[in-house]
């Protein structure tokens, strides 16, 4: 079994993994990182989105061995010193979650979106989140939250 | 005076752990020695099973056990159907694991239990099964023909139900206008984002089941009844549950089988479905053919309505399968007055996944039918669709109003909601633009869709359930304890899965007890902690469960008042309650709730008849449903060259009575509208001619993403419900019920000049383009 070294939320792990083990299963079942959920088996829903070396990735479509030597940040490692990340706070303020199952992936995708465009329009947000499905909110408040998150992360946001 | 909590847009208490990944989804949970279960599922829609051999799986690495249906036959019982509303309902045997035959693709036929899920999946491949194929039964109309192959020996008819109100024949005789339409409610897959998951553990005597369910209380009773495991040895926990929309209002084969596996093996077992497995085996929704006839006078007044439904049950009757279409029985007449109404429904067995409750359950189907045909009436008479509705709806001064189907609508104001909606929408301006585009022959036409819906929700009156042959009632339970330190615990029988009960119940209790919102916690979802309850569905949580909490708070207040009077040496009548303190009227002498909670805890000096601890509980069972209503308006642009539909604007003005938390209410409406729009434009479960489900993944079954939906403009009007003391009405299903016909009416409205009077859902570009036919292209 290949041995990999992977940093998850700031902690370094050494694990022997079957080549077929998915990163999301490594996180959830081996490392106890259950904050990242699974919503599908075809890479459509985005619930499992994490940051892999600073870029969002669907952890259900990455093999654990592919994460060897890389840095993973999950929703559990996002806030610093027990504080919420501004995007998490924005989701709370705008009531952008109901059941919360899509939320970890949605927050990760939203942060990633701002890397490309720190000042996204509603249109850009809607298209940028296309790979993340939510069944509860109808997305209205998620869009609002992303705009607010962008603002709070120190970026100006176009007024509509 | 402290600020009133009810009515405030409180941010949710639930969010913190959901936002930081400290969640308790069932699949997150583990137990020492946990084993993983995987099911082998039928690839055949209809077949006899001639041989099952699981021995190849036994012995493989990591495999602890493998079983076939035969191994469960003696103990698995038959899955329950709790609401055979029609007297002649046929309830076929429904084994959790198929023993002698299968009736839909996806039915469980064997299982493997292994040390991890990868090994369990590997071992499934070593199981051998021989099937003798039988003909699939897929089309409802053909299924009812005498020569159809049979799904069950008793035939393909599950029930016939009819109700008649008024003289239908007279209403249709010589009617100047009769509209006759057939609409299809396609089959949908609920797709809650959290897949189902079950974990069952045992200590040899008792069983604890964690399940991603909406109904831990009902599940506990049903598990006991189905398997004979004594009820008092069962504990069911619904931890964090990631959405339900009715799909987790079920007693599933997998829940029963996990309980039996834990019993057989004496070890904890867990099963979590994949999405593809879920699309096959989570109950589906809708699936009706609706033949609707409407008779009217020349001025648009509706005389009578006749509805004949065929409702696809799928292969078996699951928990509420036959009751779902019949929830529409009293709803097709909607907000309209008429002389006569007849409703008839036949439930049909097919070799597909059973259908059951999906957001709205029976009421979206009914609302769609009536709101579509009201538009057809308007078109026939060349009237504005709002005007035709105005001429028929119950006027504000007529409430309370007993409808033709026998429900009494307690309150409502259709005029107010419609006026507000048309103003926000810019109705007249959009109509002018529409006329302009029509004149110009613009290839992109504008359509305006109207839906003035109501629904019966807050599924309770136990009496009503009883008189309609349901297996249970509809009450709800709440209890409240003021702890010795003055903090408050609320226990509710209403089990949330994303709605925000903790926040809303905290607001209700904070007001009722005069304590800070932050000082209230809410416990739920565990039959050992919240032993009484009937759970969450049918937009009933607030109107039933929330009121039970309020009533329990009132009882606590009474108890506190008696204790205060005793300690302050006056009569309870002289005590007034304000902002969490009990004061002797006209004096400064008082006891706070905290002081009284401590006194009730020590028990040192309690008056006669007052027991220790400041707590109480209550059940609530209303006399009537609640009837939210509203006006939804949708503007679409339809590209007549490509068939592409774009929602340009969507306005929803809803009357859900008094609002406890406007943030939560708007969220429910947003999500509800999105699901209704999804039915109109995107979603459909498709089976091929052999009965294979083609839409097993999210790549094939199109759930809308943010890019597929517009922003929705919301507002509210308010006519308080009279059936509960807070004046609240349900809100969970309203958006879904209202929006589907609004969108389809808009599309048809855009295409009327092309002679189009219907487009089958989902209204994909291809369907729209085909509906336009050659004429659209020629123009
Ligand atoms: S679980 Fe990874 S995309 Fe759905
Ligand atoms: S909040 Fe439930 S799926 Fe997004």
């Amino acid at each position: 079994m290949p041995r990999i070294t992977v940093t998850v939320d700031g902690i370094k792990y050494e694990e022997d993994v079957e080549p077929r083990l998915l990163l999301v299963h490594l996180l959830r079942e081996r490392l106890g990182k259950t904050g990242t959920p699974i919503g599908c088996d075809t890479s459509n829903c985005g619930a499992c989105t994490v940051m892999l070396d600073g870029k969002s990735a669907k952890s259900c479509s990455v093999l654990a061995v592919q994460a060897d030597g890389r840095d993973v940040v999950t929703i559990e490692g996002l806030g610093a010193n027990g504080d919420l990340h501004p995007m998490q706070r924005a989701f709370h303020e705008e009531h952008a979650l109901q059941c919360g199952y899509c939320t970890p992936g949605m927050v990760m995708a939203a942060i990633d979106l701002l890397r490309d465009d720190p000042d996204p329009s509603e249109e850009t947000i809607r298209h940028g989140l296309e790979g993340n499905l939510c069944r509860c909110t109808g997305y209205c408040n998620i869009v609002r939250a992303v705009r607010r998150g962008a603002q709070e992360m120190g970026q100006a946001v176009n007024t509509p | 005076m402290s600020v009133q909590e009810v009515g405030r847009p409180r941010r949710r208490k639930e969010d913190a752990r959901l936002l930081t990944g400290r969640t308790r989804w069932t699949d997150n949970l583990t137990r020492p020695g946990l084993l993983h279960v995987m099911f082998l599922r039928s690839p055949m829609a209809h077949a006899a099973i001639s041989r099952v051999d699981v021995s190849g799986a036994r012995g493989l690495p990591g495999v602890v056990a493998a079983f076939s249906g035969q191994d469960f036959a003696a103990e698995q019982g038959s899955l329950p159907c709790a609401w055979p509303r029609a007297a002649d309902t046929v309830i076929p045997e429904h084994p959790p694991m198929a023993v002698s035959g299968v009736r839909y693709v996806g039915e469980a036929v064997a299982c493997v239990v292994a040390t991890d899920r990868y090994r369990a999946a590997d071992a499934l491949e070593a199981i051998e099964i021989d099937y003798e194929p039988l003909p699939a039964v897929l089309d409802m109309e053909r299924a009812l023909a005498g020569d159809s192959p049979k799904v069950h020996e008793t035939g393909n008819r599950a029930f016939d139900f009819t109700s008649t109100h008024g003289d239908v024949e007279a209403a249709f005789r010589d009617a100047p206008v009769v509209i006759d339409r057939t609409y299809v409610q396609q089959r949908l897959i609920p797709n809650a984002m959290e897949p189902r998951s079950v974990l069952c553990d045992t200590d040899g005597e008792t069983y604890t089941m964690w399940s991603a369910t909406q109904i831990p209380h009902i599940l506990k009773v049903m598990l006991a009844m189905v398997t004979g495991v004594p009820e008092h040895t069962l504990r069911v926990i619904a931890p964090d549950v990631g959405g339900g929309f009715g799909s987790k209002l079920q007693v599933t084969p997998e829940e029963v089988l996990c309980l039996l596996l834990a019993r057989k093996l004496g070890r904890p077992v867990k099963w979590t479905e994949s999405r593809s497995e879920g699309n096959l085996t989570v109950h589906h929704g809708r699936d009706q053919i609706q033949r609707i006839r409407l008779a009217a006078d020349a001025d648009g007044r509706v005389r009578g309505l006749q509805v004949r439904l065929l409702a696809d049950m799928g292969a078996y009757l699951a928990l509420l399968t036959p009751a779902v279409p019949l929830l529409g029985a009293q709803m097709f007449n909607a907000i309209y007055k008429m002389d006569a109404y007849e409703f008839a429904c036949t439930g049909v067995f097919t070799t597909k996944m059973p259908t059951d409750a999906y957001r709205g359950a029976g009421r979206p189907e009914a609302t769609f039918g009536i709101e579509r045909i009201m538009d057809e009436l308007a078109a026939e008479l060349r009237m504005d669709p709002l005007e035709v509705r105005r001429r028929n709806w119950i006027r504000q001064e007529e409430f309370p109003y007993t409808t033709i189907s026998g429900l009494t609508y307690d309150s409502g104001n259709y005029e107010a909601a419609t006026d507000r909606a048309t103003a926000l929408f810019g109705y007249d301006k959009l109509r002018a633009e529409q006329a302009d585009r029509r004149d110009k022959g613009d290839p992109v036409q504008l359509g305006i869709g109207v839906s003035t819906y109501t629904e019966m929700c807050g599924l309770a009156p136990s009496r009503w359930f009883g008189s309609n042959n349901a297996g249970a009632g509809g009450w709800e339970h709440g209890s409240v304890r003021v702890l010795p330190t003055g903090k408050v615990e609320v226990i509710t029988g209403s089990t949330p899965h994303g709605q925000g009960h903790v926040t809303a119940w905290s607001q209700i209790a904070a007001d009722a007890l005069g304590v800070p919102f932050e000082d209230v916690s809410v416990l739920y979802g565990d039959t050992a902690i919240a032993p009484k309850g009937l759970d969450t569905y049918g937009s009933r949580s607030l109107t039933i469960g929330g009121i039970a909490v309020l009533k329990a708070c009132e009882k606590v207040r009474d108890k506190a008042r008696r204790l205060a009077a005793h300690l302050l040496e006056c009569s309870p009548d002289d005590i007034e309650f304000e902002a969490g303190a009990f004061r002797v009227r006209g004096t400064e002498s008082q006891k706070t709730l905290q002081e009284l909670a401590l006194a009730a805890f020590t028990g040192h000096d309690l008056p006669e008849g007052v027991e220790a601890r400041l707590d109480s509980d209550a059940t609530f069972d209303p006399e009537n449903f609640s009837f939210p209503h509203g006006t939804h308006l949708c503007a679409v642009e339809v590209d007549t060259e490509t068939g592409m539909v774009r929602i340009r604007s969507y306005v929803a003005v809803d009357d859900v009575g008094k609002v406890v938390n406007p943030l939560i209410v708007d969220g429910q409406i947003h999500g509800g509208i999105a699901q209704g729009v999804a039915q109109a434009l995107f979603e459909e479960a498709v089976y091929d001619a052999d009965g294979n489900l083609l839409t097993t993944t999210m790549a094939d079954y199109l759930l809308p993403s943010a890019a597929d939906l517009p922003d929705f403009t919301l507002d509210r009007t308010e006519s308080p419900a009279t059936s509960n003391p807070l004046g609240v009405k349900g809100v969970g299903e309203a958006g879904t019920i209202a929006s589907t016909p609004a969108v389809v009416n808009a599309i048809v409205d855009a295409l009327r000049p092309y002679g189009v009077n219907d487009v089958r859902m989902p209204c994909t570009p291809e369907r729209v383009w085909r509906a336009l036919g050659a004429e659209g292209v020629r123009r």
Side-chain angles (χ1 to χ4, degrees), chain A residues 8-79:
Chain A
V8 179
D9 295 336
I11 295 172
K12 190 174 268 193
Y13 297 88
E14 265 190 9
E15 293 286 321
D16 295 326
V17 299
E18 272 189 81
R20 62 175 173 171
L21 184 74
L22 298 176
L23 175 58
V24 71
H25 284 144
L26 174 79
L27 293 173
R28 292 179 53 79
E29 291 179 9
R30 297 277 284 276
L31 309 184
K33 288 273 172 187
T34 51
T36 302
I38 301 172
C40 73
D41 46 7
T42 48
S43 307
N44 289 101
C45 76
C48 63
T49 308
V50 297
M51 294 293 179
L52 192 58
D53 289 340
K55 283 196 212 152
S56 76
K58 291 180 173 176
S59 62
C60 73
S61 49
V62 176
L63 295 168
V65 287
Q66 292 174 294
D68 187 23
R70 300 173 75 178
D71 184 65
V72 177
V73 178
T74 78
I75 193 76
E76 296 171 58
L78 199 56

Side-chain angles (χ1 to χ4, degrees), chain B residues 306-330:
Chain B
Q306 196 184 43
V307 175
R308 296 204 187 291
L309 299 185
L310 293 182
D312 194 336
M313 305 284 99
Y316 300 97
L317 300 187
L319 193 63
L320 304 173
T321 303
V324 167
L326 301 184
L327 279 171
Q330 287 173 287

Side-chain angles (χ1 to χ4, degrees), chain B residues 124-144:
Chain B
L124 285 185
E125 309 207 349
I127 296 176
E128 290 175 21
I129 305 203
D130 293 341
Y131 297 97
E132 289 164 30
L134 294 165
V137 179
L138 301 165
D139 179 275
M140 283 195 276
E141 275 154 354
R142 257 182 279 152
L144 292 176

Side-chain angles (χ1 to χ4, degrees), chain B residues 3-11 507 517 659-663:
Chain B
V3 209
Q4 189 172 332
E5 284 292 342
V6 167
R8 281 182 83 180
R10 275 288 190 183
R11 284 358 182 222
Q507 291 178 269
F517 170 77
V659 166
V660 172
N661 184 323
L663 217 56

